[in-house]
Amino acid sequence: IILARANNHRHLREVGKLRGAQPPFARYELILGRKAAVLALHFTARLARRADRLRRRLSHLLSVMPVELYLLDAEGRLKMMKAEPRPHGIEWREGQTLREHLRAMVDAGAVPEARGREAAWIDAIERRLTKGPARHLHNSTSGRRLLVHRTRSPSGETVVSAVDVTEQIEARQ
């Protein structure tokens, strides 16, 4: 028994030396044996397939919803979005902040009401969309009325949804 433990200890030391050179499943195979490594690989592949199915399902659900969604990281940079193409042709690119997007719109001339007061317009829109009420109506540059809802996660990420409610508002009037 003592000899077996000493050999096992030497084996684990050798595995430790190989740790940097071997992929994780090869280390599991060395430490736990081939069967355990195969089971771990099978389990990981099953989890990956399940995550892929959930991602496809969520993508499908988002594609049929009549809502625009924006996911911003803690610094306010766009991580992901689901939105219709804009009539002015200025798209919000991933990694771009809201201020950078608004500046691109103003520079392209897509916002006629901002002419002559570009900096003030950008500040006002950014303040309204980031620090204003969590739920509000927003008049888009195309004349549409959007119901905007903003939610912040505990990790600092922000989810913004926008629903076009122009027809509902016109129907009430």
Side-chain angles (χ1 to χ4, degrees):
I1 294 174
I2 295 172
L3 183 59
R5 284 188 182 176
N7 285 337
N8 191 26
H9 182 66
R10 269 188 245 122
H11 175 70
L12 290 176
R13 206 172 358 175
E14 291 299 318
V15 170
K17 289 178 187 175
L18 295 174
R19 194 168 277 182
Q22 296 288 328
F25 291 109
R27 284 191 301 238
Y28 294 147
E29 183 177 342
L30 287 173
I31 295 170
L32 303 172
R34 182 175 303 266
K35 192 166 195 161
V38 169
L39 285 174
L41 183 60
H42 175 72
F43 180 72
T44 304
R46 199 168 84 195
L47 283 177
R49 282 192 304 271
R50 184 181 297 166
D52 190 49
R53 276 195 310 270
L54 288 173
R55 193 177 6 251
R56 283 195 313 264
R57 185 172 177 205
L58 179 61
S59 177
H60 172 71
L61 289 173
L62 289 176
S63 70
V64 298
M65 290 175 60
V67 65
E68 295 182 1
L69 290 172
Y70 304 90
L71 177 63
L72 309 170
D73 64 12
E75 289 109 33
R77 296 196 175 280
L78 182 68
K79 286 176 66 176
M80 183 185 83
M81 75 175 197
K82 182 254 176 198
E84 297 295 320
R86 298 282 179 240
H88 48 69
I90 309 297
E91 295 298 325
W92 195 358
R93 293 184 316 273
E94 289 185 21
Q96 196 177 33
T97 63
L98 175 62
R99 180 170 278 284
E100 292 166 347
H101 174 64
L102 295 173
R103 171 56 62 193
M105 288 175 59
V106 168
D107 291 346
V111 189
E113 65 265 20
R115 281 198 194 106
R117 56 182 202 94
E118 290 86 359
W121 182 85
I122 289 172
D123 288 341
I125 296 297
E126 184 182 36
R127 190 172 38 257
R128 177 149 190 200
L129 292 176
T130 58
K131 295 176 179 70
R135 187 176 180 155
H136 64 276
L137 279 175
H138 176 72
N139 295 322
S140 72
T141 56
S142 62
R144 308 297 291 173
R145 305 281 309 264
L146 303 173
L147 178 60
V148 177
H149 184 85
R150 185 183 70 248
T151 306
R152 187 171 291 265
S153 73
S155 63
E157 294 177 330
T158 304
V159 177
V160 179
S161 64
V163 179
D164 189 343
V165 292
T166 307
E167 286 82 19
Q168 290 91 337
I169 291 174
E170 290 172 354
R172 272 196 220 157
Q173 294 175 351

